[in-house]
Amino acid sequence: MDTLSYKTISANKETVNKEWVVIDATDQVVGRLCSKVAKILRGKYKPNFTPHVDCGDNVILINAAKVVFTGKKETDKVYIRYTGYPGGQRFRTPAEWRKRTNGTEKLLRHAVKGMLPKNILGRALMRHLYIFEGPEHNMQAQKPKAIDINQIK
């Protein structure tokens, strides 16, 4: 029996094959979209996935302004942050967040960030996410391939 076929292959920075993908976020539910984007950023769908290595793809998210929340989450869901001062709790709904400059981009980044590891690797993976609120992006030089997010499990 050939013992070489039983060796576990661990990816490293030199052997990783990183690609560029474009995802259209039109009429996608925020949580479901962001969990799939986080999985692509992490590289979990690849056969050579290694937990401690950045083996995911670069993701370009277009039409981010057209994402939706299910039910009444657009007005009832509350994001809480704390300034660090007494009485410094601040509350914001997704509807209020969208009214601000780059609000939808910040909303999606917040959701994806919560689904990635809370360490140096997670912060490095966030740098591979590019969000555009409209249908145009400036990453044509990377020759990204368009994928259908509904086909990814």
Side-chain angles (χ1 to χ4, degrees):
M1 204 179 269
D2 185 17
T3 58
L4 291 178
S5 64
Y6 293 107
K7 289 197 175 186
T8 301
I9 297 172
S10 183
N12 60 25
K13 196 167 41 175
E14 289 79 27
T15 61
V16 167
N17 182 20
K18 295 181 76 66
E19 297 175 349
W20 286 80
V21 297
V22 175
I23 297 173
D24 188 5
T26 304
D27 297 329
Q28 296 289 328
V29 178
V30 173
R32 295 170 194 270
L33 171 72
C34 291
S35 67
K36 291 175 184 177
V37 167
K39 199 177 272 194
I40 293 170
L41 283 172
R42 189 94 197 271
K44 292 193 89 169
Y45 68 96
K46 290 186 176 183
N48 63 344
F49 169 69
T50 308
H52 63 279
V53 177
D54 175 13
C55 53
D57 296 333
N58 297 295
V59 177
I60 302 166
L61 201 59
I62 58 172
N63 290 321
K66 298 180 182 176
V67 294
V68 296
F69 282 90
T70 57
K72 296 190 285 184
K73 290 189 192 103
E74 185 79 33
T75 55
D76 292 357
K77 183 178 174 77
V78 177
Y79 291 97
I80 303 171
R81 68 182 183 89
Y82 180 59
T83 63
Y85 289 95
Q89 239 183 0
R90 302 289 183 252
F91 306 95
R92 189 176 290 164
T93 65
E96 293 168 352
W97 220 341
R98 283 183 195 249
K99 292 176 187 173
R100 301 176 67 84
T101 307
N102 294 332
T104 308
E105 177 185 349
K106 292 174 185 172
L107 188 72
L108 292 172
R109 280 194 185 279
H110 179 77
V112 172
K113 184 179 178 183
M115 299 176 192
L116 291 174
K118 279 67 172 173
N119 54 23
I120 296 170
L121 177 63
R123 291 187 290 276
L125 293 174
M126 281 301 290
R127 289 189 214 111
H128 301 303
L129 176 63
Y130 302 89
I131 301 174
F132 297 93
E133 295 196 1
E136 298 297 321
H137 64 86
N138 59 0
M139 303 285 174
Q140 285 85 9
Q142 280 71 33
K143 297 181 180 66
K145 64 175 187 176
I147 60 170
D148 184 16
I149 197 72
N150 296 323
Q151 300 301 321
I152 297 175
K153 296 201 187 286

